Amino acid sequence: MRKLLRWCFTLDLRSLAVARICLSLVLLADLLIRLTVLEDFHCDTGFMPRAELVQFKYVPSSICFHLFSGATWLMALLFLVHIACVVALGLGYRTQLATALCWLMGNSLQTRNPFILDSGDRLLMLILLWGFFCDWGKFYSLDSRKNGVPSDPRVCHLGTAGFVLQLVSLYWFSVYYKWDPVWLSEGTALYIALNLELFCRPLAKAVLPFWDLMKASTHLTVFAEAVGPLLILTGQKWLRLAGVLMLSVLHLGIFALMSIGVFPLVSLTYLVAFLPGFLWDRLRRGRGDKVSAPE
């Protein structure tokens, strides 16, 4: 039983490190986009002043530095601090501290205006939370240059178990809420979603006339969300890789057809953490062969 659990919850520190770097890039892009609408959504001059937020939506137990003042200069200063934490996370400088600060600043920012959030924003915070416990600064970081890298890149503990179980619950609960004829028997869910012009990209209009493709894609979505996490949970390298690729194709399709915020990009960076270690071993051997060939 213990061996089975180790298979399920073992992750590769190199995959976690690459996921950390990719996540920091997504965070940085998200913050830069938010900066362009700083006054509109995060200051008292925008559509959600602090008085309105506290009256209708604010949870008193929340920690929100962005409620200290509604002045534009203070919001800009907090954004700059947040960006500095994200850059430190990507570079792997004091990775644990940078992860904790990114999580703290991110929750504060999301508390300031919950009306402009989507599921990707909350998933970001969950990944940061479990990433803090997963030692994802051991490779490809300034910390690793100072402290060295572990001899065994594989790691299995409560942090990685939470990282894996979060992924499984994310997709399996999604399947649970899709238990409806439009997803299972009729297969019309994707066709209906792509008719919402507010969220659809230009490519969506090109594929809408192909009804059989829409119906097959709807059923394949449910299949990928049900089977992909199971393949990842097995821990077997080729099965885990197949699960990662299956779910990655799903999110790439969502990103190509619909504009729904950062959720597809966050999900893709999350899946990077589950890439099996043999990919990095082969890449390292390939680079070694290329270097030794001229000699």
Side-chain angles (χ1 to χ4, degrees):
M1 185 64 180
R2 182 176 297 180
K3 188 176 181 180
L4 177 62
L5 291 177
R6 288 190 64 87
W7 279 346
C8 295
F9 300 138
T10 295
L11 297 177
D12 194 281
L13 288 171
R14 294 164 294 184
S15 299
L16 285 167
V18 176
R20 184 199 80 239
I21 296 170
C22 294
L23 189 70
S24 67
L25 293 175
V26 174
L27 273 169
L28 183 60
D30 182 58
L31 288 173
L32 293 177
I33 292 172
R34 287 175 182 267
L35 266 177
T36 63
V37 290
L38 180 66
E39 292 190 38
D40 297 327
F41 294 126
H42 303 97
C43 299
D44 284 347
T45 54
F47 90 97
M48 182 51 64
R50 290 174 298 152
E52 298 289 333
L53 176 67
V54 171
Q55 182 178 358
F56 293 109
K57 195 71 177 177
Y58 179 63
V59 180
S61 59
S62 302
I63 300 175
C64 185
F65 306 116
H66 296 74
L67 284 178
F68 288 171
S69 172
T72 304
W73 69 269
L74 179 60
M75 291 299 105
L77 179 61
L78 288 172
F79 265 77
L80 290 177
V81 172
H82 198 169
I83 289 172
C85 295
V86 170
V87 172
L89 176 66
L91 295 176
Y93 177 72
R94 298 185 181 272
T95 311
Q96 296 297 93
L97 177 61
T99 304
L101 290 176
C102 285
W103 180 86
L104 188 64
M105 295 296 293
N107 273 289
S108 174
L109 179 62
Q110 293 182 14
T111 302
R112 176 60 183 87
N113 195 339
F115 293 99
I116 59 173
L117 303 180
D118 58 42
S119 54
D121 294 295
R122 302 313 303 166
L123 182 59
L124 264 173
M125 296 300 102
L126 291 171
I127 296 173
L128 285 172
L129 175 65
W130 288 113
F132 178 83
F133 298 102
C134 284
D135 301 324
W136 61 357
K138 297 292 187 181
F139 279 86
Y140 314 138
S141 64
L142 295 178
D143 291 344
S144 65
R145 295 187 64 179
K146 179 181 178 181
N147 303 322
V149 297
S151 57
D152 186 2
R154 295 172 300 176
V155 62
C156 178
H157 46 62
L158 287 177
T160 60
F163 210 78
V164 174
L165 291 176
Q166 178 184 281
L167 178 97
V168 173
S169 63
L170 170 69
Y171 290 104
W172 282 356
F173 274 105
S174 179
V175 172
Y176 172 77
Y177 285 110
K178 287 182 175 65
W179 209 262
D180 188 272
V182 296
W183 284 100
L184 300 178
S185 58
E186 299 173 6
T188 58
L190 189 57
Y191 179 82
I192 295 171
L194 294 183
N195 273 288
L196 301 174
E197 295 187 3
L198 179 63
F199 301 104
C200 291
R201 300 187 189 274
L203 181 61
K205 294 182 179 180
V207 300
L208 270 176
F210 299 96
W211 168 246
D212 290 336
L213 176 63
M214 292 292 96
K215 187 173 182 179
S217 299
T218 302
H219 293 149
L220 286 174
T221 297
V222 180
F223 177 80
E225 290 183 337
V227 177
L230 182 63
L231 296 177
I232 291 174
L233 197 59
T234 62
Q236 301 297 318
K237 58 181 184 179
W238 289 108
L239 292 178
R240 177 166 283 187
L241 180 60
V244 170
L245 292 177
M246 184 184 298
L247 294 171
S248 297
V249 170
L250 169 64
H251 289 293
L252 286 172
I254 295 173
F255 181 75
L257 296 173
M258 303 186 72
S259 178
I260 53 173
V262 297
F263 177 72
L265 295 178
V266 174
S267 300
L268 286 169
T269 59
Y270 192 14
L271 291 169
V272 170
F274 298 92
L275 289 173
F278 80 93
L279 294 176
W280 310 113
D281 294 333
R282 291 192 175 189
L283 180 62
R284 185 176 61 180
R285 287 198 297 267
R287 291 178 60 185
D289 293 340
K290 291 180 181 180
V291 171
S292 60
E295 296 179 356

